[in-house]
Amino acid sequence: MESYQNEVFAPIDVDHVLERVAGGNETEVYRSDDYRFVVKLKGDLSSRDVGAMLHEARQMKSAAQRFAGCLGSDHTIPTYFVLSRDQAGFVHILAIQPYLQHARVLAAVDWRRIPADHRRRIGHDLRRIIFRAIGCLLSTGHLPDLYGRVSSSPAERQRRKQLRYLPERIWSFLVKRTILQSQNLMLTGESPPRLILIDYDEVRRHTLYRMIYFLARLVLFARDLFVIWWQLERKPEGVGGSRAAKRQGRLPQTDMK
């Protein structure tokens, strides 16, 4: 973890120093010193025009409320938006959320360590989140990002946006990143654990891009429903059958004629 100092962190930290804990396709994520909050900062979204940034913040707040309403309080956390100025005089939008201690993004979960009954519950919750996301698209025309991407640094994020990385990005989008490799869904440390969406940004591209993106996501949702069943919900081979009986030293009776 690296610490960064910036006057833009003044609303959340006295010495303006926060620790970077993650990064996504557009966002840098920092943690407060007292481990109470995470602060999300979009490095490419800033302006000297306070009015323009206030308009952006209201749009982001509206999107967050929309997606939280669609998925429900069991699977969302509150997000607060604050305008803050950096040392260069540019106004940024800080998205502030409670820090989820002991929570892990789905991509970091070792499913072998999760009890079978918890895996099935998580699978059920994932299905519910997917169907609620689809319902949100049908009712509002917007789709929450259940997947997300990760970057180790702002420099890497900018580098991977280059055209030469396009085939890799397409492969990752269509094949590699299933719902179980999500960076935007976290599994809490509660017992039983809960699934929480932590990203509430909407797709900001033009209409044609949005239509293609949403159609692709609907197809991938169908794939991921199978992935959920296969990896989380189906009974392991041999449970209740002859293999279980053999392990206990009791073979099922067979006709030896």
Side-chain angles (χ1 to χ4, degrees):
M1 302 295 181
E2 294 184 68
S3 295
Y4 292 82
Q5 183 176 35
N6 194 318
E7 288 184 12
V8 78
F9 299 139
I12 197 73
D13 190 84
V14 174
D15 61 5
H16 309 164
V17 177
L18 293 183
E19 185 178 56
R20 183 187 187 275
V21 294
N25 190 40
E26 299 176 342
T27 307
E28 292 294 296
V29 184
Y30 304 89
R31 179 175 58 197
S32 63
D33 294 341
D34 57 9
Y35 284 59
R36 293 179 59 198
F37 304 102
V38 293
V39 178
K40 298 183 177 182
L41 175 65
K42 291 185 180 295
D44 299 333
L45 185 61
S46 64
S47 173
R48 295 183 186 274
D49 186 344
V50 177
M53 296 309 296
L54 180 60
H55 176 72
E56 289 283 352
R58 286 171 173 165
Q59 284 190 316
M60 294 171 67
K61 179 180 179 180
S62 177
Q65 291 175 335
R66 179 192 309 120
F67 293 145
C70 289
L71 296 187
S73 59
D74 287 344
H75 302 300
T76 55
I77 54 176
T79 306
Y80 307 95
F81 297 93
V82 177
L83 295 184
S84 183
R85 196 182 299 271
D86 64 16
Q87 54 266 31
F90 287 91
V91 178
H92 297 258
I93 301 170
L94 302 182
I96 301 175
Q97 296 175 331
Y99 178 66
L100 301 176
Q101 295 197 45
H102 311 300
R104 296 162 291 172
V105 294
L106 287 192
V109 173
D110 183 355
W111 296 105
R112 296 170 298 181
R113 295 179 176 271
I114 306 296
D117 59 329
H118 285 183
R119 286 201 306 270
R120 286 191 292 271
R121 180 189 176 98
I122 293 167
H124 175 270
D125 287 347
L126 276 174
R127 287 178 178 275
R128 179 167 57 187
I129 287 174
I130 287 175
F131 286 126
R132 288 184 178 181
I134 294 173
C136 189
L137 175 62
L138 296 178
S139 61
T140 70
H142 297 275
L143 184 69
D145 182 5
L146 305 183
Y147 298 81
R149 287 168 56 185
V150 64
S151 61
S152 60
S153 67
E156 182 201 3
R157 182 173 66 248
Q158 292 300 324
R159 184 174 65 252
R160 296 184 69 84
K161 289 182 179 181
Q162 298 174 11
L163 187 60
R164 61 193 177 101
Y165 288 100
L166 181 60
E168 181 181 337
R169 295 204 306 268
I170 293 175
W171 174 260
S172 176
F173 177 82
L174 295 177
V175 179
K176 188 176 180 180
R177 282 186 292 147
T178 70
I179 195 73
L180 297 187
Q181 277 73 53
S182 171
Q183 298 288 340
N184 285 350
L185 288 170
M186 297 194 78
L187 192 65
T188 69
E190 302 167 286
S191 183
R194 287 192 301 142
L195 283 171
I196 301 294
L197 179 69
I198 58 173
D199 189 290
Y200 303 94
D201 292 336
E202 60 185 0
V203 178
R204 292 173 169 266
R205 305 291 184 87
H206 53 78
T207 303
L208 180 60
Y209 178 95
R210 286 156 49 90
M211 289 178 61
I212 296 174
Y213 175 84
F214 292 157
L215 287 174
R217 278 297 183 212
L218 291 176
V219 173
L220 295 177
F221 279 156
R223 173 206 62 184
D224 285 343
L225 290 173
F226 174 79
V227 170
I228 291 167
W229 171 79
W230 181 261
Q231 296 197 33
L232 301 182
E233 296 179 327
R234 71 185 178 99
K235 292 183 179 180
E237 185 180 355
V239 172
S242 60
R243 290 191 179 185
K246 288 179 182 179
R247 285 196 296 269
Q248 297 173 5
R250 299 192 302 272
L251 294 175
Q253 295 184 357
T254 58
D255 188 352
M256 300 299 293
K257 293 182 182 179

